[in-house]
């Protein structure tokens, strides 16, 4: 059965399109709320626009805007070994300029934008780890993003897994913007509102303008909450 969904403008990545991680998390809930799901973003996701979500005979889903395919989602397997959470990761100082650059289009990103207020954006401010192909991003789960049971919604957790992958995968001196092309993710444990968490990103490889990274979201106590394999497309 087809459905109509609308991505509210507050869930943006770039100013005029949806955040890839959040949108992927919404679609993943339709495919399999507990298993691994692969979501491929084929085009920018329009905001405040009725989009058609259609289920295929094989259980996959397609999100379209008029006749244009925007996203595809299907059940997947996720063979990813996240790094073990170490005390140095938890205790790493956060630079004042961590997160998106103030003069970039991502300053207002729902996930990493420093322009978003507490309780509005996720405020996952990541930074690269000196001498390591990794990123660290503190994240405090906020009540405004929780469901009725007091735990953070899966779509918000997928969002938190998104941007830290780019900081891990892309070289610090590469200033070209990059966008989420694909996420294969799984939510294992939904943290309660108020929990202090950490998102760890690590570089997996590169193929031309495609960059690959893993991300893992932990509580500060060490519980692994969610993981994702992300593909980033560096814009020319």
């Amino acid at each position: 059965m087809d459905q109509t969904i609308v991505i509210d403008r507050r869930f943006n990545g770039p100013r005029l399109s949806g955040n890839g991680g959040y949108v992927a998390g919404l679609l993943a809930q339709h495919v399999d709320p507990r298993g691994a799901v692969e979501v491929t973003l084929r085009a920018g996701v329009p905001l405040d626009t009725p989009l058609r979500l259609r289920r295929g005979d094989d259980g996959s889903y397609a999100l379209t805007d008029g006749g244009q395919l925007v996203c595809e989602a299907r059940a997947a397997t996720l063979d990813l070994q996240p790094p073990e959470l170490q005390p140095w990761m938890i205790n790493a100082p956060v630079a004042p300029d961590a997160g998106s650059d103030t003069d970039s289009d991502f300053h207002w990103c729902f996930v990493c934008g420093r322009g978003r207020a507490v309780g509005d954006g996720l405020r996952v401010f990541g930074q690269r780890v000196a001498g390591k192909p990794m990123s660290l991003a503190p994240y405090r789960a906020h009540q405004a993003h929780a469901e009725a049971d007091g735990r953070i919604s899966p779509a918000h957790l997928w969002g938190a897994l998104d941007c830290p992958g780019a900081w891990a995968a892309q070289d610090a001196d590469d200033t070209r913007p990059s966008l989420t092309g694909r996420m294969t993710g799984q939510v294992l444990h939904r943290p309660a509102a108020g929990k202090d968490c950490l998102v760890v990103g690590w570089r997996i490889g590169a193929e031309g303008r495609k960059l690959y990274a893993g991300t893992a979201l932990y509580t500060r106590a060490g519980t692994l909450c969610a993981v994702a394999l992300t593909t980033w497309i560096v814009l020319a």
Side-chain angles (χ1 to χ4, degrees):
M1 180 178 177
D2 291 2
Q3 302 178 50
T4 298
I5 65 172
V6 176
I7 308 299
D8 190 276
R9 69 171 53 251
R10 71 181 182 275
F11 299 121
N12 66 289
R15 287 297 294 268
L16 300 179
S17 63
N19 172 264
Y22 177 83
V23 173
L26 284 182
L27 268 62
Q29 293 307 290
H30 290 274
V31 177
D32 186 348
R34 295 179 180 173
V37 178
E38 176 192 277
V39 182
T40 303
L41 294 105
R42 300 294 187 185
V45 182
L47 300 169
D48 288 345
T49 302
L51 304 173
R52 185 180 185 183
L53 184 62
R54 170 176 286 184
R55 186 182 189 276
D57 293 338
D58 61 353
S60 65
Y61 280 81
L63 186 68
T64 58
D65 176 25
Q68 182 178 26
L69 178 63
V70 176
C71 301
E72 297 175 284
R74 64 188 68 252
T77 57
L78 184 56
D79 183 14
L80 195 65
Q81 185 62 46
E84 183 177 347
L85 193 62
Q86 302 288 334
W88 70 265
M89 299 177 184
I90 298 172
N91 299 323
V94 181
D97 60 350
S100 59
D101 294 332
T102 56
D103 60 351
S104 80
D105 196 38
F106 298 99
H107 180 60
W108 303 103
C109 172
F110 173 66
V111 175
C112 67
R114 298 189 67 85
R116 303 297 290 264
V118 174
D120 176 25
L122 295 181
R123 296 176 63 84
V124 180
F125 299 153
Q127 58 190 356
R128 295 175 177 87
V129 178
K132 297 179 183 292
M134 297 179 63
S135 67
L136 298 174
Y139 161 55
R140 172 166 285 185
H142 197 280
Q143 180 63 46
H145 306 143
E147 296 189 330
D149 62 358
R151 295 185 179 274
I152 303 304
S153 85
H156 287 78
L157 297 177
W158 275 68
L161 290 170
D162 187 17
C163 301
W167 296 315
Q170 197 163 358
D171 292 335
D173 58 357
D174 186 354
T175 59
R176 295 173 297 174
S178 58
L179 299 176
T180 312
R182 175 175 290 162
M183 286 186 75
T184 303
Q186 184 173 7
V187 173
L188 307 169
H189 170 79
R190 292 164 50 226
K195 284 285 186 181
D196 283 323
C197 301
L198 181 71
V199 184
V200 179
W202 64 100
R203 185 182 303 168
I204 293 176
E207 194 175 18
R209 290 193 296 113
K210 291 183 179 180
L211 309 178
Y212 304 100
T215 51
L217 190 156
Y218 299 87
T219 66
R220 294 276 176 151
T223 300
L224 179 61
C225 297
V227 292
L229 172 65
T230 57
T231 301
W232 290 84
I233 309 299
V234 179
L235 304 183

